[in-house]
Amino acid sequence: MKPNRSIPASTVIPVLIYPDVREAVAWLGAAFGLVERVRIGEDHRAQLSFGDGAVIVGDVRHDRRPPRPGEVTHSVMVRVENAGAHCERAREHGARIVMEPTDFEYGERQYAAEDPAGHQWTFSETLADVAPEEWGGTSVAPD
């Protein structure tokens, strides 16, 4: 892929819609540790990064809307070094924790949170390298 400084280098980039882009950028930075890398207009869009991942925050316009209360249409998964500490940071900034840090047989400790606009986030800390076959999964193609 050709590099372009106007778009994140990540291969997959979720675009999440928020009622107030600037407020969302500030909150996502404070609560989850995302870092703004590009601002597009004052309140139109922002590109955020976390490690080698990226998210774009977009404004409400035309048919773009944030999630409706009571609906979960997606979850953004983010890998972190320490799920417990990350969870406490998110909680301190008002994230609604929908699942406390939990260890899973597939080698991950995960927690789930909802941000003020209703987007669901799952944060995952790797505890061990576990083959999918060890917990009932099936390896289909090599990474």
Side-chain angles (χ1 to χ4, degrees):
M1 248 182 286
K2 294 179 189 174
N4 179 356
R5 290 170 287 153
S6 292
I7 189 166
S10 303
T11 304
V12 177
I13 308 162
V15 177
L16 305 177
I17 306 305
Y18 288 85
D20 185 317
V21 169
R22 300 307 322 145
E23 185 177 283
V25 168
W27 191 90
L28 292 167
F32 294 160
L34 278 70
V35 177
E36 185 175 26
R37 66 173 294 278
V38 174
R39 184 178 301 169
I40 304 156
E42 182 51 35
D43 199 28
H44 173 54
R45 281 185 175 225
Q47 298 175 10
L48 301 138
S49 61
F50 189 91
D52 61 359
V55 172
I56 294 176
V57 172
D59 63 348
V60 172
R61 71 173 55 192
H62 308 297
D63 62 347
R64 297 188 324 217
R65 302 274 178 257
R68 292 184 287 199
E71 288 184 348
V72 178
T73 60
H74 63 278
S75 177
V76 178
M77 184 172 288
V78 180
R79 295 183 72 198
V80 297
E81 290 291 327
N82 184 325
H86 196 276
C87 180
E88 288 314 308
R89 174 183 179 165
R91 188 187 323 272
E92 288 169 8
H93 285 89
R96 185 171 78 85
I97 307 303
V98 296
M99 181 183 74
E100 292 292 335
T102 304
D103 293 357
F104 291 96
E105 64 274 10
Y106 45 85
E108 297 293 305
R109 174 175 295 140
Q110 298 176 332
Y111 84 93
E114 184 178 279
D115 69 24
H119 295 286
Q120 298 281 320
W121 297 76
T122 300
F123 294 92
S124 190
E125 170 189 354
T126 298
L127 302 173
D129 181 13
V130 179
E133 289 72 18
E134 290 182 39
W135 51 265
T138 304
S139 297
V140 179
D143 286 332

